[in-house]
């Protein structure tokens, strides 16, 4: 292994089932491990957050999962040699996390159209994974989607309207590089909240492709707010997903935890 060849002492552990990564991470923190390296994607990272948040153990990333949006936000590539070199030479930095109840997330919490697609993918209702699966799910879901009426409260005040979706972003992208919040910064203590109004089906198909490049932000149906806390209320429970995993149901309050996670990122 490249890390061993570089003179690093390592212990390789494999996850056996969902939730096992949390247990392994807690054991590492208890043992005083200085760096815990996760080889996987955002879902695996999400599992280790409860153990690492607020601890002296730094997270290192080998981004070989499905989406890898946290690694993308930190400019850590999928090229193994470069990712390993970052683990060896990178700097330790602190980034924010999001929290909803007792659940933590690192990238984007999605509500509405995109969350329901993620829910279908998680439940095996979409035959593909990653960005291809999202696009397939979006095409199918557009036909039957009913936009919810939502009440949002945050530092910006209150929004009460029907929406296509609301994305609460700690990092720029989700779904494997879809730039939902191109200005989001995981170190500023704030969420970028992207609110897309209820629009026609034709408009959905014209706006969605622009998300890949962050160009949807200029559309008149899209607004961007910034807040450290977001309350989401709906007339009936609707699913919320984050880091590609189920986060909870509305009503739900999302809040930032500034500097909660130590992480290895590329040198300046």
């Amino acid at each position: 292994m490249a890390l061993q060849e570089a003179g690093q002492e390592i212990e390789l552990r494999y996850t056996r089932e969902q939730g096992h990564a949390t247990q392994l991470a807690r054991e590492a923190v208890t043992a005083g491990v200085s760096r815990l390296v996760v080889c996987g994607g955002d879902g695996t990272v999400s599992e280790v957050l409860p153990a690492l948040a607020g601890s002296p153990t730094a997270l290192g990333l080998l981004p070989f999962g499905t989406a890898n949006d946290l690694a993308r936000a930190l400019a850590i590539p999928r090229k193994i040699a470069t990712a390993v070199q970052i683990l060896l030479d990178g700097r330790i930095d602190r980034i924010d996390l999001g929290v909803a109840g007792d659940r933590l997330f690192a990238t984007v919490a999605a509500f509405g159209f995109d969350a329901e697609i993620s829910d279908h993918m998680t439940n095996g209702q979409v035959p593909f994974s990653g960005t291809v699966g999202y696009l397939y799910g979006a095409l199918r879901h557009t036909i039957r989607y009913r936009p919810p009426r939502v009440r949002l409260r945050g530092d910006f005040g209150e929004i009460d309207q029907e929406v296509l979706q609301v994305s609460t972003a700690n990092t720029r992208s989700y779904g494997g590089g879809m730039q939902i919040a191109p200005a989001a910064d995981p170190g500023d203590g704030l969420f970028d909240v992207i609110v897309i109004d209820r629009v026609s089906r034709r408009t959905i198909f014209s706006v969605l492709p622009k998300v890949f490049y962050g160009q949807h932000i200029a559309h008149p149906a899209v607004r961007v707010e910034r807040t450290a806390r977001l309350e989401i209320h709906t007339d009936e429970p609707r699913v919320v997903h984050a880091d590609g995993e189920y986060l909870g149901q509305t009503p739900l309050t999302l809040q930032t935890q500034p500097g909660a996670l130590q992480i290895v990122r590329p040198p300046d």
Side-chain angles (χ1 to χ4, degrees), residues 89-114:
D89 301 333
R91 60 189 172 96
I92 303 294
D93 196 7
R94 287 189 175 273
I95 64 169
D96 308 333
L97 296 177
V99 61
D102 61 351
R103 298 289 301 277
L104 294 163
F105 63 95
T107 59
V108 180
F111 160 78
F113 184 76
D114 47 0

Side-chain angles (χ1 to χ4, degrees), residues 123-196:
N123 294 328
Q125 297 171 259
V126 176
F128 311 106
S129 62
T131 304
V132 173
Y134 182 89
L135 291 174
Y136 176 87
L139 290 170
R140 194 171 68 173
H141 195 49
T142 298
I143 299 172
R144 58 176 179 268
Y145 182 66
R146 296 293 178 266
R149 187 169 192 90
V150 64
R151 296 181 299 282
L152 305 174
R153 294 192 185 95
D155 299 340
F156 50 82
E158 183 170 321
I159 297 171
D160 187 342
Q161 65 178 69
E162 290 184 335
V163 297
L164 176 70
Q165 66 183 53
V166 177
S167 299
T168 306
N170 186 46
T171 61
R172 295 187 300 273
S173 68
Y174 63 177
M178 299 177 67
Q179 300 290 314
I180 188 66
D185 179 356
D188 63 3
L190 297 171
F191 294 128
D192 280 28
V193 182
I194 315 302
V195 182
I196 303 181

Side-chain angles (χ1 to χ4, degrees), residues 62-259:
L62 291 175
F64 298 104
T66 302
N68 310 301
D69 286 296
L70 179 59
R72 185 174 285 103
L74 301 173
I76 300 173
R78 288 176 60 93
K79 186 177 180 181
I80 183 67
T82 306
V84 168
Q85 201 60 46
I86 289 170
L87 293 177
L88 295 171
D89 301 333
R91 60 189 172 96
I92 303 294
D93 196 7
R94 287 189 175 273
I95 64 169
D96 308 333
L97 296 177
V99 61
D102 61 351
R103 298 289 301 277
L104 294 163
F105 63 95
T107 59
V108 180
F111 160 78
F113 184 76
D114 47 0
E116 294 185 15
I117 295 170
S118 294
D119 196 53
H120 293 164
M121 293 175 68
T122 300
N123 294 328
Q125 297 171 259
V126 176
F128 311 106
S129 62
T131 304
V132 173
Y134 182 89
L135 291 174
Y136 176 87
L139 290 170
R140 194 171 68 173
H141 195 49
T142 298
I143 299 172
R144 58 176 179 268
Y145 182 66
R146 296 293 178 266
R149 187 169 192 90
V150 64
R151 296 181 299 282
L152 305 174
R153 294 192 185 95
D155 299 340
F156 50 82
E158 183 170 321
I159 297 171
D160 187 342
Q161 65 178 69
E162 290 184 335
V163 297
L164 176 70
Q165 66 183 53
V166 177
S167 299
T168 306
N170 186 46
T171 61
R172 295 187 300 273
S173 68
Y174 63 177
M178 299 177 67
Q179 300 290 314
I180 188 66
D185 179 356
D188 63 3
L190 297 171
F191 294 128
D192 280 28
V193 182
I194 315 302
V195 182
I196 303 181
D197 299 344
R198 177 176 184 169
V199 294
S200 67
R201 290 189 178 95
R202 172 179 289 185
T203 302
I204 292 175
F205 290 123
S206 67
V207 170
L208 279 181
K210 296 180 180 180
V211 175
F212 285 97
Y213 310 102
Q215 297 173 349
H216 62 293
I217 297 299
H219 194 280
V222 179
R223 62 189 290 181
V224 181
E225 303 290 353
R226 308 190 78 221
T227 183
R229 176 183 172 90
L230 181 69
E231 298 176 21
I232 306 174
H233 299 269
T234 54
D235 294 335
E236 59 185 38
R238 302 293 286 259
V239 68
V240 180
H241 268 236
D243 295 342
E245 305 289 335
Y246 175 81
L247 183 68
Q249 287 188 325
T250 58
L252 199 64
T253 298
L254 310 177
Q255 194 161 329
T256 59
Q257 287 196 343

Side-chain angles (χ1 to χ4, degrees), residues 11 13 24-34 57:
E11 180 180 349
R13 304 288 294 273
L24 296 178
R26 287 189 173 128
E27 292 172 0
V29 171
T30 300
V33 171
S34 61
T57 301

